[in-house]
Amino acid sequence: MKTVFEMIRDGEIPSVKLYEDDVCFVILDINPISKGHSLVISKEVYPCFTDAPLSTLGHMMEVASRVDAKLRSVLGAEGTNILINNGPAAGQEVPHLHIHVIPRYSGDGKNFIPSKDSYKDGEMAEFGARLCLD
C-alpha cells in the first residue's frame, strides 16, 4: 500500500509543490504548525531516517536549508524548527522520510521544547560510556 507521500509524489493527491528534483520534493504541509510549514520528502520510500543513504540525507538537508532561507526572506520568519520524527514513538505518522521546516516568530506561542529529564548522580557518565561512538 502506498504512503500518502507516494500518492502525492505520483500526482494522485493534490498538493502545493514548492520544489522537486530527482531525490526529493517539497510541499506545503496540509496541517501547518505555522503558515509556510513545509515538508522535504524523499522520492524513494525510506520508513525512517536511519534507512536512508547518507547522500540522500545530505541532499535533503541542503534543500531544507534553501526552504529555511525562503521562509525567512519571503515570510519574514525569525527562525525555524527543522525536525524529523523518526519512528512512531517519536510522533512519526507517515512511514516515509520527511523533514519539517516550520517558520517561527518571536512570541508565536509555539513550544517544541519537551520537558526535561534529569540525570541522577553518576548517571550521565554511565550514559556517556554506553553511548560513545567508536
Side-chain angles (χ1 to χ4, degrees), residues 16-113:
V16 175
K17 198 171 282 185
L18 306 178
Y19 176 80
E20 183 171 11
D21 63 28
D22 292 341
V23 175
C24 64
F25 60 100
V26 180
I27 62 170
L28 288 176
D29 193 307
I30 196 165
N31 293 306
I33 301 295
S34 300
K35 290 179 182 173
H37 178 166
S38 303
L39 301 175
V40 181
I41 304 166
S42 62
K43 282 195 168 173
E44 185 75 29
V45 178
Y46 302 106
C48 286
F49 169 83
T50 50
D51 297 320
L54 291 177
S55 59
T56 297
L57 294 173
H59 179 77
M60 289 177 70
M61 288 304 290
E62 286 179 29
V63 172
S65 177
R66 292 178 58 196
V67 172
D68 176 285
K70 193 67 139 179
L71 293 173
R72 290 171 189 264
S73 68
V74 173
L75 300 182
E78 298 171 87
T80 58
N81 286 106
I82 311 243
L83 62 106
I84 299 172
N85 296 323
N86 194 36
Q92 183 181 11
E93 296 176 353
V94 180
H96 187 141
L97 175 63
H98 57 289
I99 302 169
H100 294 261
V101 186
I102 304 166
R104 296 297 305 276
Y105 306 90
S106 297
D108 64 12
K110 294 167 177 54
N111 187 3
F112 291 97
I113 301 173

